[in-house]
Amino acid sequence: RSLLVSNNLDENQHAQTAPWSMRERGEAEPGTRRTFDAKYNALVQWIVGPWFVFFVVNRKCSAFENALWAAPLVACYAVGGLPLLLFEFAVSYVTAFTGMCLFHAQHTFDGVYKRRGEEWDFFENGLLGSSLLLIPEALKPFTLGIEYHHIHHLSTGVPSYKLRECHEAGEKKGLWDAVPTLPLSSIPATMPYAVWDEDGQEFLSVPQAQTRD
């Protein structure tokens, strides 16, 4: 369902890394606002966030899937003890952090499409509300097509191994000319973004939003 309401400001946006607008912020109870500020503060989001996603959010699955996740950790401890287990945790953190960065860049960038109610359009959002990330060729086997997020929004039925082919076919016809195209170097500047300001049509960090409350 998140794809069907993505960037529609009248719908819940908590599947995104910058989920609130200033209107929602203004309507929230003080305690809720403080909780949001603590959670989406850039330091917490990007230091604690990857751990939380890896050890809590992604563990909401079947017992079998959790067993598959835990098996390598058990094997690391059995083979190399605590040092190897800690190394595995470090690798897992880097992986989760990288994944969060890529996910964040899909919707949280300057000039993103966001609308309310009847002004929101599924196809406009697919083209203007999600990004095309410029991933180096050597890294593409590891991203599984996540960089072609505009296609995922337009048609969730396209499997990951077909996303590039679909993009390149559409590119020849000029279908993606309007899609925001971002280099990886643009991600760090967007990492503090947490709140959407409709008046200024821009993202704000938590401290910036607090000054406008």
Side-chain angles (χ1 to χ4, degrees), residues 45-122:
Q45 169 124 303
W46 295 104
I47 295 177
V48 180
W51 286 111
F52 182 78
V53 170
F54 188 70
F55 287 104
V56 179
V57 177
N58 289 350
R59 303 285 64 80
K60 295 177 182 179
C61 53
S62 69
F64 177 72
E65 290 173 312
N66 276 320
L68 290 178
W69 169 80
L73 300 178
V74 174
C76 285
Y77 186 76
V79 172
L82 185 59
L84 186 57
L85 181 61
L86 293 176
F87 176 77
E88 175 65 17
F89 281 150
V91 171
S92 298
Y93 175 82
V94 171
T95 303
F97 178 85
T98 303
M100 274 191 63
C101 285
L102 295 176
F103 180 79
H104 177 78
Q106 291 173 345
H107 305 110
T108 313
F109 52 86
D110 295 327
V112 69
Y113 174 94
K114 288 185 180 288
R115 298 290 187 274
R116 287 192 180 275
E118 294 182 356
E119 293 182 356
W120 183 89
D121 180 81
F122 176 83

